[in-house]
Every structure is written in C-alpha cells, then in structure tokens.
Amino acid sequence: QSNAMWGGRFAAGPDAIMEAINASISFDKRLAAQDIAGSRAHAAMLAATGILSDTDSRAIREGLLTVLSEIEGGRFAFSTALEDIHMNVEARLKEVIGEPAGRLHTARSRNDQVATDFRLWVRDQIDAAVAGLRALIAALLAQAEAGADWVMPGFTHLQTAQPVTWGHHMMAYVEMFARDMGRFADARVRMNECPLGAAALAGTSFPIDRHMTAEALGFDRPMANSLDAVSDRDFALEFLGAASICAMHLSRFAEELVIWSSAQFRFVTLSDRFSTGSSIMPQKKNPDAAELIRAKIGRIMGANVALMMVMKGLPLAYSKDMQEDKEQVFDAADNLMLALAAMEGMVRDMTANRPALAAAAASGFSTATDLADWLVRALGLPFREAHHVTGTLVALAERKGCDLPDLTLADMRSVHPGIRDEVFGVLGVHNSVASRVSYGGTAPDQVRAQVARWKERLG
Ligand code: ARG
C-alpha cells in the first residue's frame, strides 16, 4: 500500500530496498525535540496569522507535547515506513488528535522543517562545545597557576631548545582552546537565522509571519532567501570545521601527554581514573584516554570532508543527498564532547613531576642561548660570533660528558679569553626563564599575568 503522506499519485508502495536506502529515522530521531519545537512554533504562528483556527492550533500544540513525552519516555514506536522524524511525529500526532493534525503542514515543507531542526540541533552542540572548552580551560588555568614557575624543557623538533615554565606550556593550550571557543561562537552568530517558512523552496502564498517563528525559536531573524534557506548546510560545515580545528588541538595535547607519561619522560603522572592497565603486563599504566582523543580528529575531520563532498555538487535547492548531513555531524559532535570531557578530566587529575621536569630542563644544553645572549650583552660580541663561541663550548662540554654549567672558567676562556666568572649566573634554568620577560614570554610573572587575564575574562 502506498505512503499515507504522499501516496496520492502512487499505485504501489516502495520496494524494501527503496525503503532501506530512503529512511533516516534510525538516526534523525535525535532531532525529535527540535522537530516538535519547530512544529509548535509553526502551529502558533498559523493561528496568529489566521491561517489556522485557535482550536486546531491548540490541539496540535498540545498533541505535540504528548508525542514528545512519548518519545522522551521511550514509549514511541518509530516506523521505518514513515521514513523520517518529521513524518513519524506527524503520523503519531494524527493518531493522538485526529483530523487537525493534517493542517499542521500548511505553508511548510519537510525541506524548511529539516533545515530548521538541524540548525537548532547544531546550535545546541555549539553551546555544549563552548561549555566543554570553558571547563577544559579552567582545568588548564589551575595547572598553570600552580606551576607558573616550575621549569621544564621547551622543545623544537622535540629536541631540547630553551627552558620554559610548566605554566607557560599550559597557557599555550589555553590560547588555542580559547580561539576554538571563538570559532564556535562566530559560527553560532552566522547560523542563527531561521529557515522555517521557506517552504519547499520558493516560499509560500499563505500570509505567514516568519519573524514570529524565528523569534519563538530563538533565532535572530528569518533567512532572507528561501532557496538558500533549504539548500545550504554551511552552518553544519562551519561547526565541523571548528570541531576539526579543536580536535586537532586536543590531539596535539594528547600526543604530549602520551609522551610525557612514558617511563622515558616521566613529566606527568596521569590519575588512575584516566588510565588503563594491561591484561598481561602487570606494571602497565596506559594513557588510553589520551590516545583515543588523539584518534578522534580522524573521524571529526572525516565528517567535515564527507559532508563537504556531499554538498559540493548539488544544484539548488534541496536534494535527498542532504539527508546524509546528519550522521556525520552527530558522530563528530558526540566524539568532540567526549574528547573535551576526557581531556578536562585528565588535565584536572594529572600531577606534574616537578623534579623530573627540572632535571630535564637543565639537560641538553638548554641554556646555550642564554650564554650566547650574555656574550652579546657583556662582551659586545656580534650575535653570530657569540653563537659560534657558544657552539664550540657545547661541543667541548659534549666531549667532556658534562653540561654547560659544569665547564670550568678555564674551559670557557680556552674558547674565548674575555669570558668572566659571572657567566655562570646565566647558565641556570631558573635564571633563564626569569629573564624571558618580553610580553608573552615564559617568565613566571608573565605567566601569572596571563593566568589572571584569562580568569577575569572567563569570569
Ligand atoms: N529526511 C529528510 C532529510 O533529512 C527530510 C527532508 C525530506 N524532503 C524531501 N523533499 N524528501 O533531508
């Protein structure tokens, strides 16, 4: 038997395979709350504009609440034959309130309906991502404040470069995650326009009030072009783009935690609550959460690329291809929220191993730049020459199997006779970090100032 919603011109119902490829209810049932909110706003507007009687509008809006409570209570029988969430809800509404249910779809299409539902859903996810980032940043600020003057090695090429502070390293991620927050917030502003009332593609001849529905659903305004309203999924792509960049940041930090928690580094100890063991090796404590966060970028970025590919060849306006937007965004959002929460938990719980950080900070000739800078400042050498002198001293220390502060003054003078005893003052790592007072530098006072600035900004 043919479909009750559009069966008028059909003699036969769909093949089972047709039904299987066409149906989206298995996943778009996640839009139920948004779908019902959109329908209730639409029904209220239809009454306010005199398109629907108050009695019918009220029956529809109350019936929709009944349907919502059935869905939320797990008492709703979803039907694949009814294709998607929109038709599932409407069909059930008909069972609950009877004839007036058929009037709800006046001046509306599933095309503007789904675009509205999905925008509402993505908007909520943006708010959730911002909240998750906020919590993660709070955890990083706590780490940074505690360790504003703990020294650790700073790396380039993962080779010892110059000493930095633990707080400075944590604050680098605060900056990145704060920009992620900004990207989500920017996307939210752009996407917060309402497609409802665009109808199938051309608008409608009914005297609807699109400003009213837009306002009821918390949008800033209705979308200005009905073709655009039902056609584009750029808002979902912006969400996925922001999510991909955020996941990339999470992944880099996760990679550092994997390295730092190894027996070779021992920079941090992850809590038992955010580690796992091995079924065969009794000594193991594995950073699985960090590894999985590192892996999540793959599926989040994958979703971004997949949806871009779905959209790139579609002529205006709606094509069924666009039904493939949801699973990608659902999966990416779920995994982003999980990754943010897991990272927050790990950061909150982890313990920095101060002695190991300090020992590592002092190794690898990390203050060679400080020595070269001293040669420039105290002896007036051109930086290039100071660089060469210092390199020669590093080679000498390497031959002697010691670090720069372990060289004797005689060793130093053998390379440059002008070197004086005070040079040893600049070779200590604490001195080194304390001297990096340029704005944004690693000096503890700079770090504390940045912590205070962010605390004030985030309230
Ligand atoms: N389930 C559909 C989707 O997600 C709803 C829109 C269907 N519209 C249509 N003209 N077939 O895109």
Side-chain angles (χ1 to χ4, degrees):
Q1 134 219 11
S2 62
N3 187 297
M5 295 289 172
W6 37 256
R9 59 111 72 214
F10 284 70
D15 188 276
I17 298 295
M18 179 62 216
E19 199 171 289
I21 194 171
N22 199 38
S24 54
I25 189 62
S26 64
F27 51 87
D28 69 13
K29 60 180 161 199
R30 289 185 69 169
L31 299 177
Q34 288 77 11
D35 193 69
I36 286 170
S39 290
R40 294 187 79 236
H42 184 67
M45 181 277 291
L46 290 179
T49 50
I51 299 166
L52 214 65
S53 73
D54 283 333
T55 324
D56 284 350
S57 173
R58 187 160 311 114
I60 288 170
R61 281 177 287 142
E62 275 164 20
L64 284 168
L65 286 184
T66 306
V67 176
L68 180 62
S69 74
E70 288 176 2
I71 293 173
E72 286 177 341
R75 287 175 278 113
F76 191 96
F78 290 103
S79 152
T80 309
L82 287 166
E83 234 185 281
D84 56 24
I85 186 64
H86 323 296
M87 298 207 288
N88 268 268
V89 168
E90 193 184 317
R92 179 64 190 141
L93 182 66
K94 179 99 187 283
E95 288 171 6
V96 175
I97 68 166
E99 188 267 339
R103 299 183 185 276
L104 168 61
H105 214 52
T106 312
R108 184 178 77 169
S109 151
R110 274 188 295 158
N111 297 348
D112 58 336
Q113 194 179 352
V114 73
T116 305
D117 294 1
F118 201 31
R119 269 178 195 255
L120 289 171
W121 196 89
V122 172
R123 196 175 70 183
D124 285 349
Q125 294 303 305
I126 286 179
D127 293 344
V130 168
L133 281 161
R134 205 173 255 281
L136 172 56
I137 287 173
L140 286 162
L141 287 173
Q143 286 284 352
E145 192 161 38
D149 58 0
W150 302 351
V151 289
M152 66 178 286
F155 300 94
T156 59
H157 316 266
L158 198 56
Q159 307 287 321
T160 302
Q162 294 173 351
V164 295
T165 55
W166 172 258
H168 198 49
H169 202 114
M170 295 299 115
M171 291 308 290
Y173 282 108
V174 167
E175 295 290 335
M176 294 180 237
F177 291 128
R179 282 195 298 277
D180 290 334
M181 269 171 62
R183 266 181 282 275
F184 281 118
D186 290 349
R188 193 191 198 285
V189 171
R190 237 180 328 273
M191 69 162 283
N192 202 31
E193 296 186 341
C194 188
L196 195 58
L201 74 165
T204 175
S205 56
F206 289 99
I208 59 171
D209 182 349
R210 292 191 59 206
H211 290 86
M212 181 180 167
T213 42
E215 194 186 324
L217 295 169
F219 289 107
D220 295 327
R221 63 193 76 84
M223 291 182 77
N225 182 296
S226 62
L227 284 171
D228 172 45
V230 296
S231 288
D232 207 358
R233 294 294 180 267
D234 60 350
F235 64 94
L237 286 163
E238 277 201 67
F239 171 75
L240 292 174
S244 296
I245 295 175
C246 178
M248 175 275 294
H249 288 147
L250 287 167
S251 177
R252 293 185 73 176
F253 193 21
E255 164 73 359
E256 295 200 310
L257 294 180
V258 169
I259 295 173
W260 290 356
S261 61
S262 68
Q264 288 67 31
F265 269 75
R266 303 205 319 141
F267 282 9
V268 295
T269 306
L270 299 176
S271 73
D272 288 357
R273 300 185 334 134
F274 283 95
S275 308
T276 56
S278 156
S279 57
I280 173 170
M281 297 167 283
Q283 88 285 8
K284 290 283 268 179
K285 190 172 159 188
N286 293 325
D288 292 39
E291 294 166 79
L292 287 162
I293 290 169
R294 189 173 58 186
K296 297 289 186 200
I297 174 70
R299 58 202 294 172
I300 294 171
M301 187 74 215
N304 192 10
V305 174
L307 182 54
M308 198 69 90
M309 291 304 108
V310 167
M311 296 306 297
K312 75 167 185 65
L314 299 184
L316 306 190
Y318 180 87
S319 296
K320 198 61 173 263
D321 310 48
M322 285 155 71
Q323 179 164 284
E324 290 283 311
D325 56 2
K326 290 169 218 55
E327 282 169 293
Q328 301 294 346
V329 176
F330 290 164
D331 184 76
D334 290 346
N335 282 287
L336 179 71
M337 303 314 154
L338 197 52
L340 283 170
M343 186 58 97
E344 187 221 328
M346 267 196 303
V347 172
R348 206 168 275 293
D349 278 17
M350 76 181 172
T351 315
N353 183 352
R354 265 183 92 177
L357 288 170
S363 72
F365 313 108
S366 64
T367 52
T369 312
D370 299 84
L371 174 53
D373 287 350
W374 182 85
L375 292 170
V376 170
R377 254 194 330 268
L379 305 187
L381 265 53
F383 182 77
R384 283 292 153 226
E385 190 185 338
H387 186 288
H388 189 80
V389 169
T390 307
T392 311
L393 285 166
V394 167
L396 176 61
E398 210 161 35
R399 273 200 307 283
K400 292 185 69 173
C402 68
D403 269 305
L404 283 174
D406 308 320
L407 291 174
T408 63
L409 187 59
D411 289 335
M412 299 264 191
R413 289 199 166 135
S414 73
V415 175
H416 194 289
I419 297 180
R420 299 188 299 269
D421 203 37
E422 65 177 82
V423 73
F424 290 100
V426 302
L427 295 181
V429 288
H430 287 279
N431 250 311
S432 170
V433 295
S435 73
R436 300 288 198 273
V437 291
S438 53
Y439 181 81
T442 199
D445 286 347
Q446 285 292 326
V447 173
R448 288 191 190 99
Q450 297 296 340
V451 171
R453 188 180 127 245
W454 276 113
K455 276 186 150 176
E456 194 185 308
R457 257 170 89 167
L458 297 173

